[in-house]
Amino acid sequence: MNYTRMVIEKEAPEEYGYDRIRYNLSESSIADQKLSEIGLSLPDLTLFYGEHRGDKQLRALISAQDAGISPDDVLVTAGAAGALFIISTSLLSANDHLVVIRPNYATNIETPRAIGCAISFVDLAFEEGFAIDVERVKAALRPDTKLISVTCPHNPTGTMMSRTELDALVALAESSNCRLLVDETYRDLSYDRRLPTAASLSPRAISVSSLSKAFGIPGIRIGWLITRDAELQEKFLAAKEQIGICGSVIDEGIARGMLERRDVFLATLLPEMAKRRDIVQAWIDRDPLV
């Protein structure tokens, strides 16, 4: 692995210093939450090694959000970044190729690059509304392609694939004998519709998400990956065990409490987010150069 620090992390607010920032206009999640603000308190936890796959109740809460997903399909990780690292290092080698629909989260590019994997980019265009052209993705595939990587809702534009486009990417992964990785970290901030988690549609699809962005608690390093491929899940579990054995029982306890309140929390959050979206849209309508 040839590691290089990512620019996005070098310039992160926590590296620059929160005390030096008055207005953070580039924050990628909702406002950071306090335990007291979200009505959570820690139970008297025993600080033992947790379940290697992640707390059983937490995995049940995650899997219950989509039909066709079971707790055994879920692996709890150290944030979405931990999930993406496990996926790249488990599936890719210097002899493999992946297709990245770009812009994309930096980890989905830099970890494969550190592995020495060949990468082809399918760039989204502002003039096309950042829409995905599945035919261009198909044209980028090679016989040694192991993975197609995309984010939805898209990071950083917030645009959404249609169900037809998602189904087409799943079908492409199936017909090409590769995997489809969908980074769904912003899925709970969808306004009008929420696509099914990609992993529920096919064993060739892998979904990744976390509590960092939509729930504003990146300080607990809780994310997850979902795959219905049991053999692949065992490989991912082996990677997690060799990296850190298990997660923090404290973090998983807080995560469980948050997801038990998920619907109430999002019900209060989304109207405010929609109001801010409408304000921004009004600015854009008034001045397209905004």
Side-chain angles (χ1 to χ4, degrees):
M1 297 284 286
N2 183 23
Y3 289 113
T4 301
R5 289 197 74 197
M6 297 181 289
V7 174
I8 191 175
E9 302 304 346
K10 287 182 181 180
E11 298 178 351
E14 60 272 17
E15 289 295 289
Y16 180 75
Y18 285 112
D19 58 329
R20 300 171 61 190
I21 300 172
R22 175 177 291 183
Y23 302 112
N24 184 358
L25 301 181
S26 61
E27 177 55 55
S28 60
S29 63
I30 69 164
D32 295 332
Q33 305 295 299
K34 295 180 180 179
L35 284 174
S36 58
E37 292 173 341
I38 53 181
L40 294 180
S41 60
L42 280 175
D44 187 16
L45 296 169
T46 301
L47 303 181
F48 49 20
Y49 287 105
E51 296 177 68
H52 293 192
R53 298 176 190 273
D55 176 81
K56 190 180 277 88
Q57 294 179 39
L58 175 58
R59 289 186 288 117
L61 287 165
I62 294 167
S63 65
Q65 297 178 33
D66 287 276
I69 299 296
S70 77
D72 288 341
D73 298 327
V74 178
L75 181 68
V76 178
T77 60
L84 298 174
F85 183 85
I86 286 172
I87 292 165
S88 289
T89 54
S90 297
L91 292 180
L92 302 174
S93 73
N95 299 318
D96 296 320
H97 172 256
L98 83 151
V99 174
V100 175
I101 299 170
R102 186 174 61 177
N104 204 306
Y105 184 55
T107 298
N108 289 325
I109 299 171
E110 295 304 328
T111 302
R113 187 171 281 160
I115 293 169
C117 184
I119 308 174
S120 295
F121 296 105
V122 176
D123 289 322
L124 304 179
F126 172 83
E127 296 77 12
E128 298 168 359
F130 300 104
I132 291 175
D133 185 335
V134 178
E135 289 303 312
R136 287 182 59 210
V137 178
K138 183 177 181 179
L141 295 179
R142 304 187 335 196
D144 57 348
T145 302
K146 287 289 186 68
L147 189 65
I148 301 168
S149 175
V150 63
T151 66
C152 184
H154 184 245
N155 179 8
T157 68
T159 55
M160 292 276 291
M161 281 190 285
S162 67
R163 175 62 190 269
T164 300
E165 290 165 337
L166 176 58
D167 287 342
L169 287 177
V170 169
L172 186 59
E174 290 176 336
S175 64
S176 304
N177 198 33
C178 66
R179 307 280 178 178
L180 172 65
L181 166 62
V182 183
D183 185 335
E184 301 170 348
T185 302
Y186 289 92
R187 182 167 173 251
D188 278 312
L189 291 180
S190 304
Y191 289 111
D192 300 320
R193 58 186 173 86
R194 206 171 70 135
L195 289 171
T197 191
S200 70
L201 303 178
S202 170
R204 304 299 300 180
I206 306 165
S207 295
V208 167
S209 194
S210 81
L211 294 179
S212 297
K213 304 303 183 183
F215 295 90
I217 48 176
I220 67 164
R221 302 305 298 139
I222 293 293
W224 55 86
L225 63 84
I226 304 174
T227 175
R228 288 166 47 210
D229 184 327
E231 184 177 346
L232 183 61
Q233 185 66 277
E234 282 296 299
K235 189 173 186 177
F236 290 156
L237 175 59
K240 179 185 176 181
E241 289 173 330
Q242 292 174 42
I243 293 168
I245 303 176
C246 63
S248 160
V249 296
I250 295 175
D251 288 358
E252 291 185 2
I254 296 172
R256 188 171 63 245
M258 174 56 97
L259 285 183
E260 287 171 346
R261 297 162 172 77
R262 174 185 174 277
D263 292 344
V264 172
F265 181 82
L266 292 176
T268 59
L269 172 68
L270 289 177
E272 179 61 27
M273 296 292 290
K275 186 189 303 181
R276 296 183 187 185
R277 174 199 60 184
D278 293 342
I279 291 172
V280 171
Q281 187 62 54
W283 289 344
I284 294 172
D285 292 342
R286 186 177 58 199
D287 184 353
L289 296 180
V290 170

